[in-house]
């Protein structure tokens, strides 16, 4: 256990032990997204109290628990991840029927949002058992809180969680064109470091629409920056470390006066059916006001992704 957390367990017991923690309950526990100090006192108490801890990765969770001074045997750690969630959920349900307390944690953040957990909770509820949330860290709300991207009221109020877009470039471009480019509210995306450049290039069709990139949240090299969508790829290229770490990507609300990207892409697709690529790009840019370079790069990507071409 880290010495810095030695007093935290006592504080957790003092703050949370007087509350009721019934047996036969699944406790869905948020864990830090990077900074270990972001654990809650109630989470620490429940992790100590739990008869078993279901988790996305047993080795990762064992290390996390040991950092806090919470001792669990290997037999008390149950692997419940995206590849076995449906089957493993039944093992958890069986333990809950015995009156045990089971905590569920993902590798980081709040389970059941972009991480596993939703199927497990559904199985527990279908069995007539209780799932109790223990709120805490979330990369989504952490990024939203410092982006200034959520407006209130009207058609642009609130935000939409889209999570990870398709990994194949053609499917990703279609999702942006048909759905997210036209969505007037703030759109929350997640992306891994090895695909962030591809996503940045795909989002360039949004032109001047502001986009916030948040990476390494709560960690030593945390970075949050807001740029026009067309500048994202160049910003990432300017320094290799900018592509490191997990990303939350926020598309700011759509301004009524801006081209949302969707119109220019639809015009470009129609023109490409009848005209050579360069001519179609030039005319689409003149009609919609979109960047000719962005439209040209997009058209080339569509050509590469056409049936029969490798992704």
């Amino acid at each position: 256990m880290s010495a810095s957390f030695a007093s935290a367990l006592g504080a957790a017991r003092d703050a949370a032990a007087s509350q009721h923690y019934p047996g036969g309950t699944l406790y869905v526990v948020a864990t830090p997204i990077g900074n270990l100090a972001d654990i809650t006192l109630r989470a620490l108490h429940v992790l100590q109290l739990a008869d078993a801890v279901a988790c996305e990765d047993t080795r990762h969770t064992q290390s996390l628990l040991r950092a806090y001074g919470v001792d669990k045997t290997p037999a008390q750690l149950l692997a419940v991840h995206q590849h076995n969630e449906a089957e493993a959920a039944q093992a958890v349900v069986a333990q809950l029927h015995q009156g045990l307390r089971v905590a569920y944690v993902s590798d980081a953040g709040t389970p059941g949002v972009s991480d596993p957990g939703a199927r497990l909770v559904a199985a527990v509820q279908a069995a007539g058992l209780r799932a109790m949330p223990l709120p805490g860290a979330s990369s989504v709300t952490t990024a939203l809180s410092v982006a200034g991207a959520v407006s209130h009221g009207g058609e642009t109020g609130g935000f939409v969680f889209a999570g990870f877009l398709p990994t194949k470039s053609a499917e990703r471009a279609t999702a942006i064109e048909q759905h997210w480019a036209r969505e007037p509210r703030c759109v929350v995306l997640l992306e891994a470091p090895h695909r962030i450049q591809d996503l940045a290039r795909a989002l360039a069709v949004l032109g001047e629409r502001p986009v916030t990139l948040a990476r390494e949240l709560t960690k030593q090299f945390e970075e949050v920056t807001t740029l026009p969508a067309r500048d994202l790829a160049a910003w990432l290229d300017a320094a290799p470390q900018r592509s490191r770490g997990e990303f939350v990507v926020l598309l700011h609300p759509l301004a009524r006066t801006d081209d949302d990207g969707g119109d220019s892409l639809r015009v470009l697709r129609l023109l490409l059916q009848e005209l050579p690529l360069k001519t179609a790009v030039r005319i689409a840019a003149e009609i919609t006001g979109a960047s000719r370079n962005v439209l040209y790069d997009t058209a080339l990507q569509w050509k590469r992704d056409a049936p029969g071409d490798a992704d």
Side-chain angles (χ1 to χ4, degrees):
M1 173 176 60
S2 170
S4 58
F5 292 108
S7 61
L9 294 183
R13 286 190 293 269
D14 293 341
S18 62
Q19 301 172 30
H20 181 49
Y21 300 94
T25 299
L26 176 71
Y27 295 87
V28 182
V29 183
T31 54
I33 59 176
N35 192 318
L36 289 179
D38 289 336
I39 193 75
T40 70
L41 293 177
R42 193 154 68 110
L44 282 177
H45 182 67
V46 166
L47 290 172
Q48 294 177 84
L49 193 64
D51 299 294
V53 177
C55 51
E56 195 174 355
D57 184 322
T58 57
R59 290 173 297 180
H60 174 88
T61 298
Q62 185 71 280
S63 296
L64 180 70
L65 295 177
R66 286 173 177 165
Y68 295 127
V70 177
D71 294 321
K72 298 295 179 187
T73 67
Q76 289 178 290
L77 298 179
L78 311 173
V80 181
H81 47 73
Q82 62 176 335
H83 302 297
N84 76 340
E85 190 172 357
E87 178 182 353
Q90 298 310 310
V92 172
V93 167
Q95 294 208 11
L96 297 179
H97 276 306
Q98 297 173 31
L100 302 180
R101 300 182 184 94
V102 179
Y104 180 70
V105 299
S106 63
D107 284 350
T110 302
V113 181
S114 64
D115 294 329
R119 287 185 178 181
L120 173 60
V121 170
V124 167
Q125 294 175 339
L129 298 164
R130 182 179 180 183
M132 181 184 294
L134 272 69
S138 164
S139 63
V140 173
T141 53
T142 299
L144 284 168
S145 72
V146 293
V150 179
S151 59
H152 301 280
E155 66 175 7
T156 62
F159 67 92
V160 179
F161 178 71
F164 290 92
L165 294 186
T167 57
K168 289 187 175 295
S169 55
E171 295 174 2
R172 182 172 53 242
T174 298
I176 292 171
E177 174 188 350
Q178 296 184 359
H179 299 289
W180 307 120
R182 304 173 63 187
E183 171 56 56
R185 294 167 291 181
C186 173
V187 179
V188 182
L189 306 174
L190 302 178
E191 194 52 273
H194 63 282
R195 289 197 299 267
I196 188 61
Q197 276 284 4
D198 292 337
L199 177 62
R201 287 192 289 270
L203 291 176
V205 297
L206 303 185
E208 292 299 317
R209 185 169 180 174
V211 176
T212 293
L213 294 180
R215 70 177 192 90
E216 295 284 77
L217 287 171
T218 78
K219 300 178 183 178
Q220 180 180 0
F221 299 108
E222 173 183 277
E223 189 168 15
V224 179
T225 188
T226 300
L227 299 164
R230 66 180 57 179
D231 296 336
L232 295 177
W235 183 83
L236 290 168
D237 282 337
Q241 72 272 14
R242 290 177 177 174
S243 294
R244 296 171 186 163
E246 300 298 321
F247 283 81
V248 181
V249 181
L250 307 177
L251 313 185
H252 285 233
L254 188 63
R256 290 179 179 271
T257 56
D258 289 346
D259 172 33
D260 64 7
D263 288 341
S264 59
L265 295 180
R266 286 190 293 276
V267 170
L268 179 60
R269 281 193 186 277
L270 290 172
L271 292 174
L272 285 171
Q273 295 175 16
E274 306 294 337
L275 300 171
L277 187 147
K278 289 185 178 179
T279 303
V281 166
R282 176 177 58 78
I283 296 175
E286 291 174 357
I287 292 173
T288 66
S291 165
R292 184 179 298 190
N293 288 339
V294 169
L295 292 176
Y296 183 77
D297 290 343
T298 301
L300 287 179
Q301 188 64 57
W302 286 346
K303 185 177 181 181
R304 287 193 292 268
D305 295 336
D309 291 346
D311 179 62

